[in-house]
């Protein structure tokens, strides 16, 4: 049986006080097949690691460079040094607000793997592409450019852009169908021998998590808003744990 992955993406939210409050409320029976990580803003990685040792750490981004005169950048080596197991790469908000291209994202994936941090490649179509029925082509193209030069050691998060932070969630069928497409494309690009877990992201919450985790091709979730409160993130973790044991 495979693992499930649950990664909280705090985006530009958080403070030391918020982390302490979160850690005080966090109480979850570990399931060895459920990997739970949180991606806080860079300055809070160390505090989160200290306050919440039950969760793994993820970074929200990394530089393509290992080090150098790149003001404001943070390397994959640095987040590895702080204990990160995962780093998000190519999140739609990075693509949209920081003009990240497929070429840059491909380089970041290599940088993460070189530093020993597992990249979580985010892919997903905009609303217009979904309405035009072009979602598969968009996602396959994102995968082909991103995965041209990397090793088969990564996670992928399917995050339809129209579902991020909007309260609109892909239906379980929409998520499952796209995950099947992604698995097929990844197998043809990286080889079928290595199973790449595919997480769903986009308004996952305590109410819809059961139905999403029940989908055979959904191997976890990348959760934004509902990961900011310990209670809702714990409820999603409970749902994942329940799914693993049934
Ligand atoms: P959301 O964000 O759960 O708030 O929609 C998901 C993400 O952007 O990773």
């Amino acid at each position: 049986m495979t693992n499930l992955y649950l990664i909280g993406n705090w985006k530009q939210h958080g403070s030391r006080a918020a982390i302490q409050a979160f850690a005080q409320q966090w109480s979850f029976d570990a399931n060895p097949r459920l990997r739970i990580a949180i991606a806080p803003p860079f300055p809070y990685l160390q505090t989160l690691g200290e306050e919440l040792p039950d969760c793994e750490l993820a970074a929200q981004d990394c530089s393509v460079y290992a080090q150098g005169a790149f003001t404001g950048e943070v390397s994959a080596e640095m987040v590895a040094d702080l204990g990160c197991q995962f780093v998000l790469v190519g999140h739609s908000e990075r693509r949209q607000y920081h003009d990240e291209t497929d070429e840059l994202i491909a380089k970041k994936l290599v940088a993460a793997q070189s530093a020993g941090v597992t990249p979580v490649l985010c892919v997903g179509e905009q609303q217009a592409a979904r309405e035009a029925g072009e979602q598969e082509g968009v996602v396959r193209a994102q995968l082909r450019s991103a995965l041209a030069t990397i090793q088969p050691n990564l996670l992928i998060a399917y995050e339809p852009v129209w579902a991020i932070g909007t309260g609109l969630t892909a239906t379980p069928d929409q998520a499952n169908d796209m995950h099947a497409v992604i698995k097929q494309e990844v197998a043809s690009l990286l080889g079928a021998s290595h199973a790449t877990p595919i997480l769903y992201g986009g308004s996952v919450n305590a109410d819809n998590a059961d139905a999403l985790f029940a989908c055979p091709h959904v191997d976890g979730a990348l959760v934004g808003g509902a990961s900011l409160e310990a209670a809702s993130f714990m409820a999603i973790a409970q749902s994942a744990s329940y799914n693993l044991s049934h």
Side-chain angles (χ1 to χ4, degrees), residues 9 11 88 91-93 159 163-167 201-204 222-226:
N9 174 12
K11 310 190 180 188
L88 308 185
H91 190 280
S92 65
E93 287 152 16
E159 299 206 301
I164 295 179
T166 58
S203 298
V204 176
L222 179 56
V223 183

Side-chain angles (χ1 to χ4, degrees), residues 58 96-97 109 164 174-175 238 246:
Q96 186 177 349
Y97 304 131
L109 292 173
I164 295 179
Q174 285 174 324
Q238 287 293 358
H246 287 80

Side-chain angles (χ1 to χ4, degrees), residues 33-234:
R33 288 174 48 222
L34 174 60
R35 292 187 63 179
I36 305 177
I38 294 177
F42 290 130
Y44 297 121
L45 281 167
Q46 182 157 359
T47 306
L48 190 72
E50 287 165 2
E51 297 282 341
L52 204 64
D54 291 352
C55 290
E56 297 185 275
L57 281 178
Q60 295 180 16
D61 183 31
C62 68
S63 168
V64 298
Y65 303 109
Q67 60 178 344
F70 304 107
T71 301
E73 290 284 76
V74 174
S75 69
E77 279 76 3
M78 291 169 186
V79 300
D81 194 27
L82 284 172
C84 286
Q85 287 82 12
F86 305 101
V87 57
L88 308 185
V89 175
H91 190 280
S92 65
E93 287 152 16
R94 303 287 317 167
R95 294 178 193 253
Q96 186 177 349
Y97 304 131
H98 300 270
D99 298 324
E100 292 204 0
T101 61
D102 287 332
E103 291 72 31
L104 184 84
I105 289 162
K107 287 183 189 161
K108 289 188 174 189
L109 292 173
V110 173
Q113 290 190 333
S114 306
V117 185
T118 302
V120 183
L121 168 65
C122 303
V123 295
E125 79 284 357
Q126 305 271 351
Q127 180 149 20
R130 171 65 65 171
E131 284 168 2
E134 292 164 357
Q135 64 273 15
E136 269 190 44
V138 168
V139 169
R140 283 186 195 272
Q142 288 173 335
L143 292 169
R144 279 197 286 268
S145 27
L147 301 182
T149 50
I150 69 156
Q151 305 297 312
N153 175 24
L154 78 161
L155 309 182
I156 292 175
Y158 169 55
E159 299 206 301
V161 178
W162 47 270
I164 295 179
T166 58
L168 293 173
T169 321
T171 64
D173 281 349
Q174 285 174 324
N176 197 53
D177 290 352
M178 183 63 88
H179 285 216
V181 167
I182 293 172
K183 285 187 179 177
Q184 181 206 51
E185 187 68 39
V186 171
S188 80
L189 291 167
L190 299 180
S193 60
H194 194 98
T196 300
I198 318 290
L199 285 58
Y200 170 77
S203 298
V204 176
N205 59 38
D207 296 330
N208 58 29
D210 279 344
L212 288 162
F213 288 132
C215 297
H217 292 302
V218 172
D219 305 310
L222 179 56
V223 183
S227 71
L228 291 171
E229 298 290 335
S232 51
F233 199 49
M234 278 189 299

